[in-house]
Amino acid sequence: MAQKTYKQLAQSIYKKSNKELQVKDIERTLCLLEEAIVEELDRGNDVKLRSIAKFSMNHYEATSRYDGINKRQYTLPAHRKVSIKPLGKLNNLNTEIKRD
């Protein structure tokens, strides 16, 4: 399984656009998209990328927990966590592989 970099992803988009867009512009757009998503999540807004995924920021209050291994009580501090919910197109990728 290969991991694509911004450059490789931009080149893939460049080919799909029939070479109408420049790779450097696509890379810049991807960087700006990343920054915009992070800024909106930091403000507490949800971000939905069409039918790919929905990003949400969840806030958790401080809670008291018990560590069963070390037999001690501890406090988990208040924190935030990003959740990603896959939507239509990503859910369609989660289909079972059929064997011949």
Side-chain angles (χ1 to χ4, degrees):
M1 189 179 320
Q3 180 175 333
K4 292 232 176 185
T5 63
Y6 265 20
K7 185 86 167 171
Q8 293 167 330
L9 189 57
Q11 289 170 347
S12 176
I13 294 170
Y14 170 72
K15 290 174 188 172
K16 288 182 185 245
S17 74
N18 293 323
K19 302 179 182 179
E20 292 176 10
L21 305 171
Q22 293 184 358
V23 173
K24 67 179 182 177
D25 293 333
I26 297 168
E27 284 183 56
R28 181 72 182 138
T29 303
L30 290 172
C31 287
L32 291 172
L33 175 64
E34 177 184 337
E35 290 172 15
I37 290 171
V38 170
E39 287 174 8
E40 290 302 319
L41 288 172
D42 195 35
R43 290 184 189 137
N45 298 325
D46 292 349
V47 178
K48 182 179 174 189
L49 292 178
R50 296 182 45 107
S51 60
I52 296 175
K54 180 181 177 183
F55 300 88
S56 303
M57 181 66 74
N58 297 323
H59 300 274
Y60 297 96
E61 299 296 324
T63 59
S64 180
R65 300 284 175 99
Y66 181 73
D67 179 0
I69 295 173
N70 297 313
K71 310 283 191 247
R72 65 180 177 91
Q73 197 81 20
Y74 68 97
T75 301
L76 184 65
H79 61 282
R80 301 184 308 172
K81 193 173 191 179
V82 175
S83 67
I84 303 169
K85 178 183 178 189
L87 299 177
K89 289 184 180 180
L90 291 183
N91 280 332
N92 291 341
L93 292 176
N94 290 334
T95 57
E96 186 177 323
I97 298 174
K98 296 180 182 178
R99 297 181 186 202
D100 293 331

